[in-house]
Amino acid sequence: MTIARFGAAEARTGPLTMGQANMVRCVRTDPPEHMNYRVVRPLPPETTLAAVAEAAGLLMSRHESLRTLVRDDTQQVLDGGELAIQVRESATPEETAEELARELQEQRFALESELPFRVAAVTSGGVPRQVVLVTTHSVVDATGLAVLLTEWDALILGKPLPPVTAPQPVDVAATERSPASLRRADAALRYWEEQLRRIPRSTLTVSVDDTGHEWLLPRLRVRSVAAARAMRRITARTGVSASAAVLAALSTVTGLRAGAAIVPVLSISANRFRPDLREYVGPLAQDALVPVDIAADGFDDVLRGARAASLAAYQNSRFDADALIRIMEAVQRERGVFFARDLVFNDMSIPGQGGRVSRADAEVQSTWLPEATLPTRMSLWVNRLEGELDVTLWADPRILPRADAQSIGEGVARLLIDAGTRDVPLAELAVTPVPRGDGWVRSDDCWTELAEVRRLLPPGSEVVAVPDDVLGARLVAYTAAETTVSALHSACLAALPGRMSATAPQHYVVCATSPAPGERWQDQPRLAEGSGR
């Protein structure tokens, strides 16, 4: 073991930023392998353990987020201290470093008492060969992590770095509490509430139960030089950026498969619009809720709609997460739904990014990658947009079997290629819809399976879909159980998480008796009825 020492001019205390508060909750409750970053880096020849310790200490001295403890709703920045660096000897340092990285990643950070940064070195013959860096989402988002790694690469070589000019998290928290920032945050909450009241609860709705699900997902990498060329022509013709074009194509192909007119996409917003935040080391990224309307004849209309929806969503992607949860819970109770995180878009491409492109003859090339853990139904990660479209599609095989996932992943690229030369009629797209039998109805813009709704109710109960001009189908539940309407609705809501194809009924009827053979529930004596809301 070796020790890294860090120091600063003063200790600081302040409220959490909105990004910190959002991630602290997740770090404390979600599986650590989902929330912790792990990075393995080879060390330059002749690196010493003292150099590793010095680089780690300098990095922590520069960035307050690496030496911050979280107690209640307060961040406490330490002005100095020590970080123990684990050292492991190995004849196979690369393999050992990966194993050690996984070990450290799978340990939850005790944010109130533990420095949120772990460093380990792997030696071979006593010489440091690999370094492991582990931190978590309450410390940095992906952009902030990239800043840290760039600085680490310089520090381990002994290169001097200019002073940090980006604000520290305590400074950002103070800015977020200014009157103008509070008004923007309130506007973001109003935007979210408006969208939550109208969007479907999920898109690729099938009957699954998430109990015990490990979220180990297959990943498909899709690459296409032709699609990148086509996106330049799309931008010239429509004014829609390449990123928004990929989002529109994903929404179109997915929505046609799902039988949905509106496709709600959670797009990860970096929230680094201000120049001074571009090098900020702290969590800023939050979800932007982008409802993409695909009820159009041609893809050009979807493109323009996706651009407008994206701009509005990104303008409303910094918010108080606790307040949003309260709004979401209220809307869920009112609508009788549980919002699924089933379609995520994450554009991680870098403008001006170079590098080698695929030399494959095919217009679209796809390759299956090893499975990895990600708690979402489907997610598209954009790796590159310029010179080559390079994306990775994560897909839960219960929702999208591999063949269907490949069809969607490649279909996104092929739609973009076609749209490079014309306004593609959506009726021409050959997308296989999700198979749904007679027991499925569309209620409140959500595909719902009646058998799954019955599972929410007491044994022996029934649910009937009644045609409704506003809802499409109004779900009416009947039961003879000893209960109240309010208790019925609360029990249904409690059973919804993890059940994609169920929604709570809009109306409940408590009857005196169950119907005898040949009788109908509708004709039984009624003790109580209502919405339960």
Side-chain angles (χ1 to χ4, degrees):
M1 181 180 293
T2 190
I3 300 296
R5 294 176 174 82
F6 59 90
E10 60 177 351
R12 304 179 73 194
T13 301
L16 296 176
T17 68
M18 288 187 285
Q20 284 176 319
N22 186 31
M23 287 294 104
V24 163
R25 180 191 307 101
C26 298
V27 170
R28 285 174 169 164
T29 58
D30 291 1
E33 61 270 22
H34 295 172
M35 297 309 303
N36 294 344
Y37 298 102
R38 76 169 193 260
V39 178
V40 176
R41 282 281 211 262
L43 290 168
E46 301 180 2
T47 299
T48 64
L49 288 175
V52 172
E54 182 179 6
L58 287 172
L59 201 62
M60 297 179 72
S61 299
R62 289 172 60 82
H63 299 292
E64 293 182 2
S65 61
L66 294 176
R67 47 189 168 90
T68 293
L69 305 180
V70 177
R71 291 168 179 161
D72 298 322
D73 295 326
T74 301
Q75 52 177 315
Q76 299 182 0
V77 183
L78 304 182
D79 59 354
E82 297 181 343
L83 177 72
I85 297 177
Q86 185 179 159
V87 179
R88 187 172 294 183
E89 172 71 15
S90 173
T92 55
E94 293 85 359
E95 294 178 9
T96 300
E98 291 294 343
E99 293 172 1
L100 183 54
R102 284 191 292 271
E103 289 176 18
L104 296 177
Q105 182 190 34
E106 291 170 358
Q107 299 172 25
R108 190 183 304 278
F109 279 98
L111 299 178
E112 68 284 350
S113 58
E114 178 188 1
L115 289 167
F117 189 43
R118 296 171 183 152
V119 182
V122 178
T123 60
S124 182
V127 178
R129 302 295 187 186
Q130 301 278 319
V131 68
V132 174
L133 308 173
V134 174
T135 187
T136 191
H137 276 72
S138 62
V139 174
V140 287
D141 53 22
T143 306
L145 180 63
V147 174
L148 283 181
L149 294 179
T150 298
E151 292 194 2
W152 169 268
D153 291 341
L155 291 170
I156 198 62
L157 291 172
K159 295 181 179 179
L161 291 174
V164 174
T165 57
Q168 302 284 2
V170 171
D171 307 315
V172 171
T175 302
E176 288 178 343
R177 280 153 180 79
S178 70
S181 294
L182 291 174
R183 285 194 297 271
R184 285 193 294 270
D186 287 342
L189 293 175
R190 290 193 297 273
Y191 168 86
W192 272 81
E193 182 172 5
E194 178 184 350
Q195 303 307 322
L196 290 171
R197 291 188 179 282
R198 73 183 189 94
I199 61 173
R201 63 170 296 278
S202 65
T203 300
L204 293 168
T205 308
V206 298
S207 293
V208 296
D209 188 339
D210 290 339
T211 304
H213 189 50
E214 295 183 351
W215 300 106
L216 191 63
L217 307 186
R219 297 178 296 155
L220 180 73
R221 186 182 184 188
V222 179
R223 303 173 69 183
S224 173
V225 173
R229 295 194 190 108
M231 286 190 290
R232 291 199 300 270
R233 294 191 291 269
I234 290 171
T235 299
R237 187 181 76 246
T238 67
V240 176
S241 69
S243 181
V246 176
L247 174 63
L250 173 68
S251 302
T252 300
V253 176
T254 305
L256 290 175
R257 176 172 173 80
I262 295 177
V263 179
V265 181
L266 290 174
S267 181
I268 308 302
S269 174
N271 285 324
R272 292 174 184 260
F273 308 113
R274 284 171 29 201
D276 63 315
L277 292 176
R278 289 173 187 164
E279 301 295 313
Y280 171 68
V281 175
L284 281 174
Q286 288 183 275
D287 288 340
L289 177 55
V290 188
V292 181
D293 190 341
I294 67 165
D297 293 329
F299 185 54
D300 279 8
D301 284 341
V302 179
L303 283 165
R304 295 186 178 96
R307 175 183 59 187
S310 298
L311 290 174
Y314 294 142
Q315 288 171 355
N316 291 285
S317 59
R318 284 188 76 178
F319 46 80
D320 180 335
D322 288 332
L324 178 58
I325 288 174
R326 290 192 293 271
I327 289 171
M328 190 173 291
E329 289 174 344
V331 175
Q332 287 179 160
R333 182 169 187 84
E334 181 179 322
R335 291 186 62 188
V337 300
F338 182 84
F339 291 106
R341 189 177 181 83
D342 71 334
L343 186 54
V344 177
F345 180 77
N346 190 6
D347 183 357
M348 302 182 295
S349 64
I350 301 172
Q353 182 178 10
R356 299 173 62 183
V357 301
S358 172
R359 299 298 182 187
D361 293 333
E363 279 192 326
V364 179
Q365 179 186 16
S366 64
T367 307
W368 285 104
L369 304 176
E371 294 181 338
T373 301
L374 188 70
T376 186
R377 313 284 184 189
M378 189 174 89
S379 182
L380 188 75
W381 288 15
V382 179
N383 308 312
R384 183 175 177 180
L385 289 170
E386 297 178 14
E388 178 182 48
L389 173 67
D390 183 352
V391 300
T392 302
L393 179 70
W394 305 61
D396 185 339
R398 303 172 306 162
I399 313 303
L400 276 178
R402 285 192 178 228
D404 295 324
Q406 188 164 4
S407 177
I408 283 185
E410 293 182 356
V412 168
R414 296 190 190 283
L415 174 55
L416 292 168
I417 293 170
D418 198 0
T421 57
R422 65 181 184 132
D423 180 9
V424 181
L426 299 194
E428 291 185 6
L429 299 180
V431 178
T432 303
V434 174
R436 295 192 177 98
D438 294 337
W440 286 84
V441 298
R442 196 157 183 83
S443 176
D444 192 14
D445 211 25
C446 300
W447 279 110
T448 305
E449 188 175 22
L450 296 180
E452 288 296 297
V453 179
R454 292 187 189 100
R455 290 181 60 196
L456 306 176
L457 299 166
S461 303
E462 181 58 284
V463 63
V464 177
V466 180
D468 186 277
D469 291 339
V470 176
L471 297 172
R474 183 168 177 259
L475 305 183
V476 180
Y478 295 89
T479 187
E482 294 185 7
T483 185
T484 65
V485 168
S486 178
L488 268 175
H489 187 55
S490 295
C492 287
L493 290 175
L496 279 178
R499 293 178 175 176
M500 282 191 74
S501 60
T503 59
Q506 283 90 22
H507 193 76
Y508 301 88
V509 180
V510 180
C511 299
T513 58
S514 300
E519 295 181 342
R520 302 188 313 160
W521 275 101
Q522 293 91 323
D523 299 328
Q524 302 309 303
R526 303 186 177 198
L527 301 178
E529 62 181 297
S531 69
R533 272 67 172 172

